[in-house]
Amino acid sequence: MITFEHVGKTYGDWTAIEDLSLHIPKGEFCVLIGPSGSGKTTTLKMINRLIEHDRGRILFEGAEIRSFAPEQLRRRMGYAIQSIGLFPHWTVEENIGAVPRLLGWPKSRIRDRVTELLGLLALEPERFRDRYPRHLSGGQQQRVGVARALAADPAVLLMDEPFGALDPVTRDTLQAEMLRIHKASGTTIVLVTHDIDEAIRLGSRIVILDHGRIVQSGSPREILAKPASDFVADFVGREDIGIKLLSIERVGDRMRPGEMAEGEPIAADASLRHALSIFVARGIDRLPVVDQSGTVAGAIRLTDLTGAAP
Amino acid sequence: MKRWLADPLIWTGLALVLLVIFMPALKPLFAVLFPDQDRPLFEQDSFINLTLAHIGLVAASSAISIVVGVTLALFVTRPAGREFRPLVETVVATGQTFPPVAVLAVAVPLIGFGAMPALIALALYGLLPVTEATVAAIEQVPAGAREAARGIGMSPAGRLRQIELPLAAPVILAGIRTSVIINIGTAAIASTVGAKTLGLPIIIGLSGFNTAYVVQGAIVVGLLAVVTDLAFDRLGGLLDRWKRDDVAASA
């Protein structure tokens, strides 16, 4: 879907991006992460040509991005940013319909699409459609921002710290919704964050950048289990690595089917981190597990948490 | 239903029109107010003509100020024109540093008497508020909205027309309002160089010690300024409807 080949970007005598090569396949949820000034946002903005690269090539669906007019390229890529950037003088409906209007969709199709997207992002269409952004909460505004980015069924969704300014509860809900949307639509997503927990939760792949170079790229599990350098180990939070590993595993994967246990059950799709928390809080070493329908499917023991990853 | 009854714009507008048309009918009143004057009413020209000429001069000079001012401001806020910004701001500020009387005095030997020097002086004088307000207005467009507009693939012209100008419009209008109101007052001075304006009775009255003339001219100019200001206020309310709470309350 998107390929960087030896890409570089220099501002004056400061090298923002140095010889960056990266392939993002179709359907991937790729999270770019790194400290400030690591080049993560520059990398993202080079994809839709908000920043032009100096060296190397960037390919989008096999074609050099410079072969597209910037506006045409951007209309095929959704774009959501931390400051949200809703147009304050346009209603929610007009904001979401911005790209479809640029693409010349007929009015009725835009209206249907807006209804669909408001539903997808858990905003009641009839209540929110005609509101102006200033009448929405921060979380609602970012929902509209994401809906606007998704409006024209983009081939790729670019997100620049989209949840960075939201409170933890709202951020958590929106992260869950991004995962659901990604699962349902299969859209390729490239997201920039500086929050390692967000990266671990959302990414099917995490790319860690430092000083304009990729220092490690891999699945959350690979990165946590085998940090490539001290920098990565520090960045992912050295002493929390075990806890973070637990947070990406599901109870259902370590469950002992058919075994029985006493007490309040835990859901099979809960994380092992959640299970550990319950073990410690209740002072027990065995928990019943229920599947999605709520029937007991087995049990999990404290010692199962340290078992080898399947 | 009767909301227009409480509308100051309608009342002051009506007062202005009636006063201008029926000024001659007020001659007995002025005769009582100014018993020492042989001629208690300015009659060298009708107030209808003077008012229309005044409005015409202000409209023409303001149109020039607006077109030139907005164009200059848009130019210096584009990437291509950014480096000209200090130059334009200096030149425009200089235009307002010169008192209009001085500009008129310099213009007369060059262009001669009449409406032309007045037009130039007023247009120059009105340029600064428009240019300054437009630059400020474009700059206060939220950076996020700007970036999003670029990021979703709007063209530079589309961004200007659909995002920047609508969001800047209320502040630009405030600049135009200042410029026009200043020029309504300043245009009165233009009668010193032979332009026909409502300043004529004032100037003739001042030089001939006829207070009645001065009062008549001043009242009409003052009313004209008030009516124009109220009209701008009304227009401004239409431009930022999205800022009001009652619009979304109906949703």
Side-chain angles (χ1 to χ4, degrees), chain A residues 45 48-51 70-72 74-75 77-79 81 83-90 95 98-99 101-102 126-127 130-132 134-135 148 160, chain B residues 142-156 158-159 161-167 239 241-251:
Chain A
K45 288 185 174 176
N48 67 356
R49 293 184 65 183
L50 284 177
I51 295 176
E71 279 86 33
Q72 302 300 328
R74 289 173 198 152
R75 287 171 199 177
M77 299 178 169
Y79 189 59
I81 54 180
S83 58
I84 309 175
L86 294 184
F87 306 129
H89 59 311
W90 286 3
N95 267 284
V99 182
R101 248 194 332 277
L102 288 171
E126 293 324 312
R127 232 182 102 204
D130 297 319
R131 290 203 185 178
Y132 286 94
R134 62 189 293 267
H135 298 285
R148 178 175 65 184
D160 190 0
Chain B
R146 238 182 247 280
E147 191 196 337
R150 228 156 78 80
I152 66 170
M154 282 192 185
S155 64
R159 295 201 296 273
R161 194 168 48 80
Q162 298 189 57
I163 308 298
E164 291 179 285
L165 280 182
L167 287 176
L239 282 181
R241 275 172 52 80
W242 52 272
K243 276 189 184 166
R244 294 210 316 253
D245 287 311
D246 52 332
V247 177
S250 63

Coordinates of all heavy atoms in Angstrom, one line a residue, chain A residues 45 48-51 70-72 74-75 77-79 81 83-90 95 98-99 101-102 126-127 130-132 134-135 148 160, chain B residues 142-156 158-159 161-167 239 241-251:
Chain A
K45 N 3.4 12.9 7.4 CA 3.0 14.0 6.5 C 3.6 13.9 5.2 O 3.2 14.6 4.2 CB 3.3 15.4 7.2 CG 2.4 15.7 8.3 CD 2.6 17.1 8.8 CE 1.6 17.5 9.9 NZ 1.9 18.8 10.4
N48 N 1.1 12.1 2.6 CA 0.1 12.9 1.8 C 0.7 14.2 1.3 O 0.0 15.1 0.9 CB -1.2 13.0 2.5 CG -1.1 14.0 3.7 OD1 0.0 14.4 4.1 ND2 -2.2 14.2 4.4
R49 N 2.0 14.3 1.3 CA 2.7 15.4 0.7 C 2.4 16.7 1.3 O 2.6 17.8 0.7 CB 2.4 15.5 -0.8 CG 3.0 14.3 -1.6 CD 2.8 14.5 -3.1 NE 3.6 15.6 -3.7 CZ 3.5 16.0 -4.9 NH1 2.8 15.3 -5.8 NH2 4.2 17.0 -5.4
L50 N 2.0 16.7 2.6 CA 2.0 18.0 3.4 C 3.4 18.4 3.6 O 3.7 19.6 3.8 CB 1.2 17.8 4.7 CG -0.3 17.7 4.6 CD1 -0.9 17.4 5.9 CD2 -0.9 18.9 4.0
I51 N 4.3 17.4 3.7 CA 5.7 17.7 3.7 C 6.3 16.9 2.5 O 6.0 15.7 2.4 CB 6.4 17.2 5.0 CG1 5.8 18.1 6.2 CG2 7.9 17.4 5.0 CD1 6.3 17.7 7.6
P70 N -1.1 16.9 -5.5 CA -1.2 16.7 -4.1 C -2.7 16.7 -3.6 O -3.0 15.8 -2.8 CB -0.5 18.0 -3.6 CG 0.4 18.5 -4.6 CD -0.2 18.0 -5.9
E71 N -3.5 17.5 -4.2 CA -4.9 17.5 -3.8 C -5.6 16.2 -4.1 O -6.4 15.7 -3.3 CB -5.7 18.7 -4.4 CG -5.5 20.0 -3.8 CD -4.3 20.8 -4.3 OE1 -3.9 20.6 -5.5 OE2 -3.6 21.5 -3.5
Q72 N -5.3 15.7 -5.3 CA -5.9 14.4 -5.6 C -5.5 13.3 -4.7 O -6.3 12.4 -4.3 CB -5.6 14.0 -7.1 CG -6.0 15.1 -8.1 CD -7.5 15.3 -8.1 OE1 -8.3 14.4 -7.9 NE2 -7.9 16.5 -8.4
R74 N -4.4 13.6 -1.6 CA -4.9 13.8 -0.3 C -6.4 13.4 -0.2 O -6.9 12.9 0.9 CB -4.8 15.2 0.2 CG -3.3 15.6 0.4 CD -3.2 17.1 0.7 NE -1.8 17.4 0.5 CZ -1.3 18.6 0.2 NH1 -2.2 19.6 -0.1 NH2 -0.1 18.9 0.1
R75 N -7.1 13.5 -1.3 CA -8.6 13.1 -1.2 C -8.7 11.6 -1.2 O -9.8 11.1 -0.8 CB -9.3 13.7 -2.5 CG -9.5 15.2 -2.4 CD -10.0 15.8 -3.7 NE -9.7 17.3 -3.7 CZ -10.0 18.1 -4.6 NH1 -10.5 17.6 -5.7 NH2 -9.7 19.4 -4.6
M77 N -6.8 9.9 0.8 CA -6.2 9.5 2.1 C -7.0 10.2 3.1 O -7.1 11.4 3.1 CB -4.8 9.9 2.2 CG -3.9 9.2 1.1 SD -2.2 9.8 1.3 CE -1.3 8.6 0.2
G78 N -7.5 9.5 4.1 CA -8.2 10.2 5.2 C -7.1 10.9 6.1 O -6.0 10.4 6.1
Y79 N -7.5 12.0 6.8 CA -6.5 12.7 7.6 C -7.2 13.2 8.8 O -8.1 14.0 8.8 CB -5.9 13.9 6.7 CG -4.8 14.6 7.4 CD1 -3.6 13.9 7.7 CD2 -4.8 15.9 7.6 CE1 -2.5 14.5 8.2 CE2 -3.7 16.6 8.2 CZ -2.6 15.9 8.5 OH -1.5 16.5 9.0
I81 N -6.2 14.8 12.8 CA -5.1 15.4 13.6 C -5.5 15.7 15.0 O -6.7 15.7 15.4 CB -4.6 16.7 12.9 CG1 -5.8 17.7 12.7 CG2 -3.9 16.4 11.6 CD1 -5.4 19.0 12.1
S83 N -5.4 18.4 16.8 CA -6.2 19.6 17.0 C -7.6 19.5 16.3 O -8.4 20.4 16.3 CB -5.5 20.9 16.5 OG -5.2 20.7 15.1
I84 N -7.8 18.3 15.7 CA -9.1 18.0 15.1 C -9.4 18.8 13.9 O -9.5 18.3 12.8 CB -10.3 18.1 16.1 CG1 -10.0 17.3 17.4 CG2 -11.6 17.5 15.4 CD1 -11.0 17.4 18.4
G85 N -9.3 20.1 14.0 CA -9.4 21.0 12.8 C -10.8 20.9 12.1 O -10.8 21.0 10.9
L86 N -11.9 20.8 12.9 CA -13.2 20.9 12.3 C -13.3 22.3 11.8 O -12.8 23.3 12.4 CB -14.3 20.5 13.3 CG -14.3 19.1 13.7 CD1 -15.5 18.8 14.6 CD2 -14.3 18.1 12.6
F87 N -14.1 22.5 10.7 CA -14.4 23.9 10.2 C -15.5 24.4 11.1 O -16.6 24.0 11.0 CB -14.7 23.8 8.7 CG -13.6 23.1 7.9 CD1 -14.0 22.1 7.1 CD2 -12.3 23.4 8.1 CE1 -13.0 21.4 6.3 CE2 -11.3 22.7 7.4 CZ -11.7 21.7 6.5
P88 N -15.2 25.5 11.9 CA -16.2 25.9 12.9 C -17.4 26.5 12.3 O -18.5 26.5 12.9 CB -15.4 27.0 13.7 CG -14.2 27.4 12.9 CD -13.9 26.2 12.0
H89 N -17.4 26.9 11.0 CA -18.6 27.6 10.4 C -19.4 26.6 9.6 O -20.4 26.9 9.0 CB -18.2 28.7 9.5 CG -17.2 28.3 8.4 ND1 -16.1 27.6 8.6 CD2 -17.3 28.6 7.1 CE1 -15.5 27.4 7.5 NE2 -16.2 28.0 6.5
W90 N -19.0 25.3 9.7 CA -19.8 24.3 9.0 C -20.4 23.3 10.0 O -19.8 23.1 11.1 CB -18.9 23.4 8.1 CG -18.5 24.2 6.8 CD1 -18.8 25.5 6.5 CD2 -17.7 23.7 5.8 NE1 -18.2 25.8 5.3 CE2 -17.5 24.7 4.8 CE3 -17.0 22.4 5.5 CZ2 -16.8 24.5 3.6 CZ3 -16.3 22.3 4.4 CH2 -16.2 23.3 3.4
N95 N -19.1 19.2 7.6 CA -17.7 18.8 7.9 C -17.4 17.4 7.4 O -16.4 17.2 6.7 CB -17.4 18.9 9.4 CG -16.8 20.3 9.8 OD1 -15.7 20.5 9.6 ND2 -17.7 21.1 10.4
A98 N -17.1 16.9 3.7 CA -16.2 17.8 2.9 C -15.5 17.1 1.8 O -15.5 17.6 0.6 CB -15.2 18.4 3.9
V99 N -14.9 15.9 2.0 CA -14.2 15.3 1.0 C -15.1 14.7 -0.1 O -14.9 14.9 -1.3 CB -13.3 14.2 1.5 CG1 -12.5 13.5 0.4 CG2 -12.3 14.7 2.6
R101 N -17.8 16.0 -1.1 CA -18.2 17.2 -1.9 C -17.1 17.5 -2.8 O -17.3 17.8 -4.0 CB -18.5 18.4 -1.0 CG -20.0 18.7 -1.0 CD -20.4 20.1 -0.5 NE -19.5 20.6 0.5 CZ -19.6 20.3 1.8 NH1 -20.5 19.5 2.2 NH2 -18.8 20.9 2.7
L102 N -15.8 17.5 -2.4 CA -14.7 17.8 -3.2 C -14.6 16.8 -4.4 O -14.2 17.1 -5.5 CB -13.4 17.7 -2.5 CG -13.1 18.8 -1.5 CD1 -11.8 18.5 -0.6 CD2 -12.9 20.1 -2.2
E126 N -29.6 12.2 13.9 CA -30.6 13.3 13.9 C -30.3 14.3 14.9 O -30.6 15.5 14.8 CB -32.0 12.8 14.0 CG -32.4 12.0 12.8 CD -31.9 12.5 11.4 OE1 -32.0 13.7 11.2 OE2 -31.4 11.7 10.6
R127 N -29.6 13.9 16.0 CA -29.2 14.9 17.0 C -28.0 15.7 16.7 O -27.9 16.9 17.0 CB -28.9 14.1 18.3 CG -29.7 14.6 19.5 CD -29.3 13.8 20.8 NE -28.4 14.6 21.6 CZ -27.6 14.1 22.5 NH1 -27.5 12.8 22.6 NH2 -26.8 14.8 23.2
D130 N -26.9 18.6 12.4 CA -27.0 20.0 12.1 C -26.3 20.9 13.2 O -26.5 22.1 13.2 CB -28.5 20.5 12.0 CG -29.1 19.8 10.8 OD1 -28.4 19.7 9.8 OD2 -30.3 19.4 10.9
R131 N -25.6 20.2 14.0 CA -24.9 21.0 15.1 C -23.6 21.6 14.5 O -23.0 21.1 13.6 CB -24.5 20.2 16.3 CG -25.7 19.8 17.0 CD -25.3 19.4 18.4 NE -26.5 18.9 19.1 CZ -26.5 18.5 20.4 NH1 -25.3 18.5 21.0 NH2 -27.5 18.1 21.0
Y132 N -23.1 22.7 15.2 CA -21.8 23.3 14.8 C -20.8 22.7 15.8 O -21.1 22.4 17.0 CB -21.9 24.8 14.9 CG -22.6 25.4 13.8 CD1 -24.0 25.7 13.8 CD2 -22.0 25.6 12.5 CE1 -24.7 26.2 12.8 CE2 -22.7 26.2 11.5 CZ -24.0 26.5 11.6 OH -24.7 27.0 10.5
R134 N -18.7 23.9 17.8 CA -18.5 24.5 19.1 C -19.5 24.0 20.1 O -19.3 24.2 21.3 CB -18.5 26.0 19.1 CG -19.8 26.6 18.6 CD -19.7 28.1 18.3 NE -19.5 28.8 19.6 CZ -20.4 29.3 20.3 NH1 -21.7 29.2 19.9 NH2 -20.2 29.9 21.5
H135 N -20.5 23.3 19.6 CA -21.5 22.8 20.6 C -21.3 21.3 20.9 O -22.1 20.6 21.5 CB -22.9 22.9 20.0 CG -23.3 24.3 19.8 ND1 -23.7 25.2 20.8 CD2 -23.4 25.1 18.6 CE1 -23.9 26.4 20.3 NE2 -23.7 26.3 19.0
R148 N -15.0 12.4 9.3 CA -14.6 13.2 8.2 C -13.5 12.5 7.4 O -13.5 12.5 6.2 CB -14.2 14.6 8.6 CG -13.8 15.5 7.4 CD -13.5 16.9 7.8 NE -12.3 17.0 8.7 CZ -11.9 18.1 9.2 NH1 -12.5 19.2 9.0 NH2 -10.8 18.1 10.0
D160 N -2.6 11.8 13.0 CA -1.5 12.4 13.7 C -1.9 12.7 15.2 O -2.6 13.7 15.5 CB -1.1 13.7 13.0 CG 0.2 14.3 13.5 OD1 0.8 13.7 14.5 OD2 0.6 15.3 13.0
Chain B
P142 N -8.3 29.4 12.7 CA -7.6 28.4 13.5 C -6.6 27.5 12.7 O -7.0 27.1 11.6 CB -8.7 27.5 14.0 CG -10.0 28.3 13.9 CD -9.7 29.3 12.8
A143 N -5.4 27.3 13.2 CA -4.4 26.6 12.5 C -4.9 25.2 12.2 O -4.6 24.6 11.2 CB -3.1 26.6 13.4
G144 N -5.6 24.6 13.1 CA -6.1 23.2 12.9 C -7.0 23.2 11.7 O -6.9 22.2 10.9
A145 N -7.9 24.1 11.5 CA -8.8 24.1 10.4 C -8.0 24.3 9.1 O -8.3 23.7 8.1 CB -9.8 25.3 10.5
R146 N -7.0 25.2 9.2 CA -6.1 25.4 8.0 C -5.5 24.1 7.6 O -5.4 23.7 6.4 CB -5.0 26.3 8.4 CG -4.9 27.6 7.7 CD -3.7 28.3 8.3 NE -4.1 29.5 9.0 CZ -4.3 30.6 8.3 NH1 -4.2 30.6 7.0 NH2 -4.7 31.7 8.9
E147 N -4.9 23.4 8.6 CA -4.1 22.2 8.3 C -5.1 21.1 7.8 O -4.8 20.4 6.9 CB -3.4 21.7 9.6 CG -2.4 20.6 9.2 CD -1.9 19.8 10.4 OE1 -1.9 20.2 11.5 OE2 -1.4 18.6 10.1
A148 N -6.2 21.0 8.5 CA -7.2 20.0 8.0 C -7.6 20.2 6.6 O -7.7 19.3 5.8 CB -8.4 20.0 9.0
A149 N -7.9 21.5 6.3 CA -8.3 21.8 4.9 C -7.3 21.4 3.9 O -7.6 20.8 2.8 CB -8.6 23.3 4.8
R150 N -6.0 21.6 4.2 CA -4.9 21.2 3.3 C -4.9 19.6 3.3 O -4.8 19.0 2.2 CB -3.6 21.7 3.9 CG -2.7 22.4 2.8 CD -1.8 23.3 3.5 NE -0.6 22.7 4.1 CZ 0.4 22.3 3.5 NH1 0.5 22.4 2.2 NH2 1.4 21.7 4.1
G151 N -5.0 19.0 4.5 CA -4.8 17.6 4.6 C -5.9 16.8 3.9 O -5.7 15.7 3.5
I152 N -7.1 17.4 3.8 CA -8.2 16.6 3.2 C -8.2 16.9 1.7 O -9.0 16.3 1.0 CB -9.6 16.9 3.8 CG1 -10.0 18.3 3.5 CG2 -9.6 16.5 5.3 CD1 -11.5 18.5 3.9
G153 N -7.3 17.7 1.2 CA -7.2 17.9 -0.3 C -8.0 19.1 -0.9 O -8.4 19.0 -2.0
M154 N -8.1 20.2 -0.1 CA -8.7 21.4 -0.7 C -7.6 22.1 -1.4 O -6.5 22.2 -1.0 CB -9.3 22.3 0.4 CG -10.6 21.8 0.9 SD -11.3 23.1 1.9 CE -12.8 22.3 2.5
S155 N -8.0 22.7 -2.6 CA -7.0 23.5 -3.3 C -6.8 24.8 -2.6 O -7.6 25.2 -1.8 CB -7.5 23.7 -4.7 OG -8.7 24.5 -4.6
P156 N -5.6 25.5 -2.9 CA -5.4 26.8 -2.3 C -6.6 27.8 -2.5 O -7.0 28.4 -1.5 CB -4.2 27.3 -3.0 CG -3.4 26.1 -3.4 CD -4.5 25.1 -3.8
G158 N -9.7 26.9 -3.1 CA -10.8 26.4 -2.3 C -10.7 26.7 -0.8 O -11.7 27.0 -0.2
R159 N -9.5 26.6 -0.3 CA -9.3 26.9 1.1 C -9.6 28.3 1.4 O -10.2 28.7 2.4 CB -7.8 26.6 1.5 CG -7.4 25.1 1.4 CD -6.2 24.8 2.2 NE -5.0 25.5 1.8 CZ -4.2 25.0 0.9 NH1 -4.4 23.9 0.3 NH2 -3.1 25.7 0.6
R161 N -11.6 30.4 -0.3 CA -13.0 30.7 -0.5 C -13.9 30.0 0.5 O -14.8 30.7 1.0 CB -13.4 30.2 -2.0 CG -14.7 30.8 -2.5 CD -14.8 30.5 -4.0 NE -14.5 29.1 -4.3 CZ -15.3 28.1 -4.2 NH1 -16.5 28.3 -3.7 NH2 -15.0 26.9 -4.5
Q162 N -13.6 28.8 0.8 CA -14.5 28.0 1.7 C -14.2 28.1 3.1 O -15.0 27.9 4.0 CB -14.6 26.6 1.2 CG -15.1 26.4 -0.2 CD -15.3 24.9 -0.5 OE1 -16.0 24.2 0.2 NE2 -14.6 24.4 -1.5
I163 N -12.9 28.3 3.5 CA -12.5 28.2 4.9 C -12.0 29.6 5.4 O -12.6 30.2 6.3 CB -11.4 27.2 5.1 CG1 -11.8 25.8 4.5 CG2 -11.0 27.1 6.6 CD1 -13.0 25.2 5.2
E164 N -10.9 30.1 4.7 CA -10.3 31.3 5.3 C -11.3 32.5 5.2 O -11.5 33.2 6.2 CB -9.0 31.6 4.5 CG -7.9 30.6 4.8 CD -6.6 30.9 4.1 OE1 -6.6 30.6 2.9 OE2 -5.7 31.3 4.7
L165 N -11.8 32.8 4.0 CA -12.6 34.0 3.9 C -13.9 34.0 4.8 O -14.2 34.9 5.5 CB -13.0 34.3 2.5 CG -11.9 35.0 1.7 CD1 -12.3 35.3 0.2 CD2 -11.4 36.3 2.3
P166 N -14.7 32.9 4.8 CA -15.8 32.9 5.7 C -15.5 33.0 7.1 O -16.2 33.7 7.9 CB -16.5 31.5 5.4 CG -15.9 31.0 4.1 CD -14.6 31.7 3.9
L167 N -14.4 32.4 7.6 CA -14.0 32.5 9.0 C -13.4 33.9 9.3 O -13.5 34.4 10.4 CB -13.0 31.4 9.3 CG -13.5 30.0 9.4 CD1 -12.4 29.0 9.7 CD2 -14.6 29.9 10.5
L239 N -23.1 37.4 9.4 CA -21.9 36.7 8.9 C -21.4 35.6 9.9 O -20.8 34.6 9.5 CB -20.8 37.7 8.7 CG -20.9 38.5 7.5 CD1 -19.7 39.4 7.4 CD2 -20.9 37.6 6.2
R241 N -23.4 33.7 12.0 CA -24.5 32.9 12.6 C -24.1 31.7 13.3 O -24.7 31.3 14.3 CB -25.5 32.5 11.4 CG -26.5 33.6 11.0 CD -27.2 33.2 9.8 NE -27.8 31.9 9.9 CZ -28.9 31.7 10.6 NH1 -29.6 32.6 11.1 NH2 -29.4 30.4 10.6
W242 N -23.0 31.0 12.8 CA -22.6 29.8 13.4 C -22.0 30.0 14.8 O -21.9 29.1 15.6 CB -21.5 29.1 12.6 CG -20.4 30.0 12.2 CD1 -20.4 30.8 11.1 CD2 -19.2 30.2 12.8 NE1 -19.2 31.5 11.0 CE2 -18.4 31.1 12.1 CE3 -18.6 29.6 14.0 CZ2 -17.2 31.5 12.5 CZ3 -17.3 30.1 14.4 CH2 -16.6 31.0 13.6
K243 N -21.7 31.2 15.2 CA -21.2 31.5 16.5 C -22.4 31.6 17.6 O -22.1 31.6 18.7 CB -20.4 32.8 16.6 CG -19.0 32.6 16.1 CD -18.2 33.9 16.4 CE -16.8 33.8 15.9 NZ -16.2 35.1 15.8
R244 N -23.6 31.7 17.1 CA -24.7 32.0 18.0 C -25.2 30.7 18.6 O -25.2 29.6 17.9 CB -25.8 32.8 17.3 CG -25.4 34.1 16.9 CD -26.6 35.1 16.9 NE -27.7 34.5 16.3 CZ -28.2 34.9 15.1 NH1 -27.6 35.8 14.4 NH2 -29.3 34.4 14.7
D245 N -25.7 30.7 19.8 CA -26.2 29.5 20.4 C -27.6 29.1 19.9 O -27.9 27.9 19.9 CB -26.2 29.7 22.0 CG -24.8 29.8 22.5 OD1 -24.1 28.8 22.2 OD2 -24.5 30.7 23.3
D246 N -28.4 30.1 19.6 CA -29.8 29.7 19.2 C -29.8 28.9 17.9 O -30.8 28.2 17.6 CB -30.7 31.0 19.1 CG -30.0 32.0 18.2 OD1 -28.8 32.1 18.1 OD2 -30.8 32.8 17.7
V247 N -28.8 29.0 17.0 CA -28.8 28.3 15.8 C -28.8 26.8 16.0 O -29.6 26.1 15.4 CB -27.7 28.7 14.9 CG1 -27.7 28.0 13.6 CG2 -27.7 30.2 14.6
A248 N -27.9 26.4 16.9 CA -27.8 25.0 17.1 C -28.9 24.4 18.0 O -29.2 23.3 18.0 CB -26.4 24.6 17.7
A249 N -29.4 25.4 18.8 CA -30.5 24.9 19.8 C -31.7 24.3 19.1 O -32.4 23.5 19.6 CB -30.9 26.1 20.7
S250 N -31.9 24.8 17.8 CA -33.0 24.2 17.1 C -32.7 22.8 16.5 O -33.6 22.1 16.1 CB -33.4 25.2 15.9 OG -32.3 25.2 15.0
A251 N -31.5 22.4 16.6 CA -31.1 21.1 16.0 C -31.5 20.0 16.9 O -31.6 20.1 18.1 CB -29.6 21.0 15.8

